[in-house]
Amino acid sequence: MNTTSTRSAQTDLDLLDVDLPDWFVRALQIPRREDFVDVAGTRIHYFQWGDPTLPGVVMTHGFMAHARCWAFIAPFLAARYSVVAFDLSGMGDSGWRTRYDTEVRAEECMAVAIHAGLTAQGRRPALVCHSYGGGIGLAAVERQPDFWSQMIVCDMTMLAPGETSQFEEQRRQQQNRGVRPHKVAADLAQVFARFRLAPEQPCANTFLLHYMAVHSVKAVDGGYVWKFDPAIFGPDPGRDPEWWQSIAPRFTQLSIPAAVIYGEHSAMLSERVLAYLSDAQVPLVKITDAHHHIMLDQPLALIAAIESLLQTLS
């Protein structure tokens, strides 16, 4: 397909019945292409901005989220890079699987990069990952390090030696409740009322919350349901306590340049793990006045941080 989708970008704007800042409108007016690639029997949806012959960047999103969390960030990088943001399987506009694991989603990262032309003439794309997407990116780099040029993770949970994570316990409690079908919301007003960030946090940019919410649902008989597959909450044996403990050491031992961006008020990275990463000489960039969802709290500061790191790590 690979169609230029300025019309769908305008539709994005038309769906938002709220006041929008000029920078956000400009971002969505920058041309983007939209396409799908089949990965292990599932269609994976992605957007692409910029000249495909420029250095490539692949962006991954967090759990239950979708590629549009990057749709107002990526356009500002498109003057220097060909940027791709894709929906992980079971989320956004990508297809659903009978089983989800980190390995197949790492395969999605690589397949999207190849399909979008980011590896043509031997080029090596960079990875920019948020939260859960960081674990996917880490697996993709470990699987084939020569495929990638650098990795930037944005507020990905990491643990210092001896630390424990409350987030995996929360996930285990969710799994114990079992997979439940989505409840139907009668209208978009109900969608906005139900929409929550995970983990929950304040966010002053309500127009971005509306943007994320309206693209987190699809129309069904009787109203709207969340796009993500409820089965993504199913068992994932790979994400055990040992896996959580392994992330920071694995990240510091990557053979490609890597850096961390984190929110000043985020609970994902403790002072202990930040000190551990600093001792390992991992570049750290703190975004002030930001929680976990940095792109929603401080989008312009995040753009500047990503662009700076892409240049200095290369």
Side-chain angles (χ1 to χ4, degrees), residues 51-108:
D51 183 342
T53 66
L54 292 171
V57 178
V58 176
M59 304 183 114
T60 64
H61 60 77
F63 197 66
M64 295 187 290
H66 47 78
R68 281 183 171 86
C69 71
W70 296 116
F72 47 90
I73 304 291
F76 290 107
L77 304 173
R80 294 188 177 188
Y81 303 96
S82 179
V83 188
V84 167
F86 74 99
D87 292 318
L88 292 164
S89 56
M91 307 182 214
D93 294 317
S94 286
W96 293 7
R97 299 188 183 279
T98 56
R99 185 176 183 274
Y100 299 96
D101 58 46
T102 300
E103 287 303 312
V104 75
R105 287 181 168 145
E107 186 179 343
E108 292 166 14

Side-chain angles (χ1 to χ4, degrees), residues 24-56:
F24 179 81
V25 174
R26 291 200 310 274
L28 265 65
Q29 289 175 338
I30 292 173
R32 71 187 187 200
R33 293 170 294 283
E34 189 170 6
D35 211 340
F36 290 83
V37 57
D38 184 277
V39 183
T42 297
R43 282 186 11 127
I44 302 300
H45 169 259
Y46 70 86
F47 295 113
Q48 184 172 17
W49 297 261
D51 183 342
T53 66
L54 292 171

